[in-house]
Amino acid sequence: MTAQEIIQQIEEAGREFARAIGDLRDEQAIREEKARVLGKKGSLAGAMKGLGALPAPDRPRVGEALNRVKGSIEAEVERRLGAIAEEALEVDLARRVDVTLPSRPRRRGHLHLLTQLLREIEEIFREIGFQVATGPQVETDFHNFEALNMPPDHPARDMQDTFFIEGGQGQLVLRTHTSPVQIRTMLAGPPPVRIIAPGVVYRRDDDPTHSPMFTQVECLCVDHGVSFADLKGTLLHFVHRFFGPDIGIRLRPSFFPFTEPSAEMDILCLFCKGRGCRICKSTGYLEVGGAGMVDPAVFAACGYDRYDVTGFAFGFGVERMGMLRHGVDDIKLWYEGDARWLEQF
Ligand code: DAH
């Protein structure tokens, strides 16, 4: 090919670009047209190849044509893309924002019912001079059973059947109740003691009203001259604050190895106020926990002088309290994390 032919080819490529680009307004399409002419396999690349074969004196003319066409194509592409960007900006700026529209509400979480109840219960007892104490969930056989007057093979252990693990200092268990915190507190210091111990406990139980893991609150009060009347007064105060002033309590003689005498604590049925209904199985009362006067054997295990001090203790299940208050009939709901349930409280 002669120089003139190559120059014609170059100029034809330039005209072809001008035709193709026409009035394209789409950025992607404009870039594609540019690549079709200037790209590695584009029409100008063919012309470039011919350049090498030309006699040296002809080359500058062809080179000049090549640069001219290439330059004008690039300038046109720049101009088009600039115009498109400007138009888009104008559209953006012209878009009206209605600042008076209500905002999209943000969903706020809240404390789980269990946490709310625990805080409420702690507050009720703090007001009357109790401190909050805690203990480990993996507990020794000694604290969970033995010091609570349940020696190995004692039949009372059957009520709290659980798994045992061989540990460094004898057997370990997932605590079956919060009562071991009584032991830990008394071993840690002399009387007087006024504590409540909220916490998770584990049992081999699983049905709509029993979960293998649930929450208890323990109470222990030890001092000079603490009597059964103090126990009853404290329980009544708590029940009035938690369930309302019209809910009375009933203490039924019972047995726990760590208290003597022991009582089962019932509250007046919240649903029928004692008249008898399906929930209280026509008894007029609902069982909520155990209580009693600290057994001298427990004091002995903790190095307290049974002739110097007396004490009362009680324990109850927190979920059960909440289920009674709110009429919840399945304990699993507490742990499932279903927002439809959680949002109700
Ligand atoms: N620890 C007992 C249980 O989980 C409940 C209990 C009964 C606690 C009597 C006490 C008590 O402090 O005095 O079944």
Side-chain angles (χ1 to χ4, degrees):
M1 267 201 284
T2 66
Q4 195 51 41
E5 281 168 345
I6 296 177
I7 289 171
Q8 273 170 10
Q9 204 181 348
I10 290 168
E11 281 171 347
E12 177 52 30
R15 283 191 292 277
E16 190 193 303
F17 173 76
R19 273 196 302 276
I21 197 168
D23 46 18
L24 281 183
R25 308 183 70 67
D26 173 72
E27 178 174 343
Q28 175 73 12
I30 291 170
R31 290 189 190 284
E32 273 164 21
E33 281 312 323
K34 179 184 168 189
R36 221 198 295 277
V37 189
L38 300 185
K40 274 209 184 76
K41 290 183 183 142
S43 42
L44 282 189
M48 289 280 279
K49 271 188 212 123
L51 193 64
L54 288 177
D58 288 343
R59 286 184 202 164
R61 277 203 303 139
V62 178
E64 185 268 328
L66 200 59
N67 286 336
R68 178 164 41 77
V69 171
K70 215 173 133 185
S72 72
I73 290 175
E74 274 165 355
E76 178 63 11
V77 169
E78 278 310 298
R79 202 180 63 74
R80 293 284 185 106
L81 294 185
I84 290 173
E86 211 158 289
E87 235 169 71
L89 180 66
E90 245 147 57
V91 169
D92 256 359
L93 289 176
R95 190 175 291 140
R96 296 241 198 97
V97 176
D98 183 352
V99 292
T100 66
L101 277 176
S103 63
R104 253 161 256 167
R106 236 197 253 188
R107 280 161 61 93
R108 290 183 66 185
H110 62 72
L111 294 176
H112 191 282
L113 178 58
L114 191 55
T115 309
Q116 293 179 42
L117 293 177
L118 281 171
R119 291 193 178 179
E120 182 182 339
I121 293 166
E122 286 172 21
E123 187 54 30
I124 293 172
F125 282 102
R126 253 200 220 105
E127 285 169 4
I128 54 172
F130 285 81
Q131 289 187 326
V132 175
T134 55
Q137 292 176 28
V138 178
E139 191 50 285
T140 65
D141 182 273
F142 172 76
H143 293 91
N144 195 83
F145 293 119
E146 225 170 320
L148 287 162
N149 201 23
M150 280 184 270
D153 303 319
H154 192 289
R157 287 193 177 203
D158 292 351
M159 293 194 298
Q160 303 188 3
D161 192 11
T162 189
F163 291 115
F164 289 80
I165 311 158
E166 296 297 336
Q169 315 133 326
Q171 304 222 303
L172 292 175
V173 293
L174 289 176
R175 67 178 178 191
T176 57
H177 51 177
T178 43
S179 302
V181 184
Q182 293 187 27
I183 304 303
R184 290 186 173 274
T185 306
M186 288 192 276
L187 286 174
V193 168
R194 272 185 191 75
I195 55 132
I196 61 158
V200 172
V201 302
Y202 303 86
R203 298 264 175 101
R204 243 194 79 201
D205 280 333
D206 201 2
D207 64 46
T209 54
H210 296 88
S211 155
M213 185 208 81
F214 65 104
T215 315
Q216 284 190 335
V217 168
E218 189 80 15
C219 178
L220 174 68
C221 173
V222 182
D223 206 340
H224 300 289
V226 172
S227 72
F228 202 95
D230 297 315
L231 167 61
K232 186 170 180 186
T234 306
L235 286 172
L236 198 57
H237 172 77
F238 168 68
V239 169
H240 283 170
R241 286 291 309 275
F242 191 82
F243 289 110
D246 56 336
I247 299 302
I249 63 169
R250 181 175 77 174
L251 294 170
R252 267 183 300 124
S254 184
F255 173 79
F256 294 102
F258 34 94
T259 43
E260 183 60 34
S262 302
E264 212 72 65
M265 175 172 79
D266 301 338
I267 60 170
L268 193 71
C269 179
L270 302 164
F271 304 94
C272 65
K273 300 277 154 54
R275 265 174 272 120
C277 67
R278 189 178 52 83
I279 313 252
C280 62
K281 301 198 183 81
S282 305
T283 62
Y285 282 89
L286 300 162
E287 187 181 318
V288 292
M293 299 305 290
V294 179
D295 194 291
V298 175
F299 281 147
C302 300
Y304 276 27
D305 180 356
R306 56 176 291 191
Y307 298 107
D308 183 36
V309 290
T310 50
F312 68 74
F314 59 85
F316 55 82
V318 180
E319 290 87 345
R320 172 142 175 89
M321 291 289 197
M323 286 167 82
L324 292 175
R325 188 201 249 183
H326 296 288
V328 176
D329 57 5
D330 189 345
I331 195 166
K332 301 295 177 305
L333 290 164
W334 293 76
Y335 318 114
E336 280 173 349
D338 186 332
R340 291 170 303 180
W341 187 77
L342 296 172
E343 278 166 1
Q344 296 176 49
F345 308 103

